[in-house]
Each structure stands twice: as structure tokens, then as C-alpha cells.
Amino acid sequence: SGCSISQQRRLYPGLAVMAAKITAMPFLSDKNNPGGYCVQGAIEFGMDSRRLVQRCTKPDAKEFKKIAVACAIGFSIMGFIGYTVKLVFIPINNIIVGGS
């Protein structure tokens, strides 16, 4: 990633221990090796995930209300579409299958 070694050590204190374990097995730090590719990918994913969680903030009341209203509107629209489709296809299904 774009951080220097000292920045990574400051941001990720457990990284030194993990790096020591990985350097003991050099094939795990080689991205050309399938095992190393998976391990390095997992490490990068973990570092990126941790950075994301550290930067996330809890929404304030106004932002939360905005999100809740948007979700409610989305649920309502999807429910209306589902009800309409069901309402239209019941008679069509009866015509195709035939009234028993």
C-alpha cells in the first residue's frame, strides 16, 4: 500500500509480529507463489478493512433519519411492484392453467 514502513508500524502495531512470522516462511511473502498470493491478499484486505473501520463515523440523527426514510421508500416501492405483479399474474395463471 502507499504507507511507509514506519507509518504501517504506527498504524498497525500487531503487524510486526505478523511480519516476523511471514518472513520466517519466505514463500508466503512472494505474490508469484499461490500461497503467498492468498496470504498477501488477506493481509492487504485486513489492513484496508481496518483503515476503513477506523475512518467510519457514527451517523448523526439527521443523517440516520435520511437513510431510514430512503430505505422505507425503497421497501414501499419494491412492495408495490411485487403486489402489482402478483395481482396481474393471478388472472393470467388462471387462464393458462384453466379453472379447475
Side-chain angles (χ1 to χ4, degrees):
S1 64
C3 296
S4 69
I5 300 295
S6 61
Q7 287 175 327
Q8 286 181 354
R9 285 186 183 144
R10 185 174 42 83
L11 290 173
Y12 311 107
L15 189 65
V17 175
M18 188 171 55
K21 289 179 183 177
I22 290 175
T23 54
M25 297 178 276
F27 67 93
L28 292 179
S29 60
D30 182 17
K31 274 197 145 183
N32 294 326
N33 184 346
Y37 183 80
C38 292
V39 169
Q40 290 300 319
I43 290 171
E44 289 176 14
F45 176 76
M47 288 171 48
D48 292 341
S49 299
R50 184 172 175 179
R51 188 178 312 122
L52 174 70
V53 170
Q54 286 175 342
R55 292 190 66 153
C56 289
T57 58
K58 186 176 177 182
D60 57 350
K62 183 180 177 184
E63 186 179 7
F64 180 78
K65 186 177 178 182
K66 215 177 193 181
I67 293 169
V69 167
C71 288
I73 290 171
F75 272 104
S76 301
I77 290 171
M78 292 302 291
F80 179 75
I81 291 171
Y83 179 75
T84 306
V85 167
K86 186 75 171 175
L87 197 63
V88 167
F89 276 98
I90 287 174
I92 293 174
N93 192 24
N94 285 337
I95 292 170
I96 293 172
V97 174
S100 297

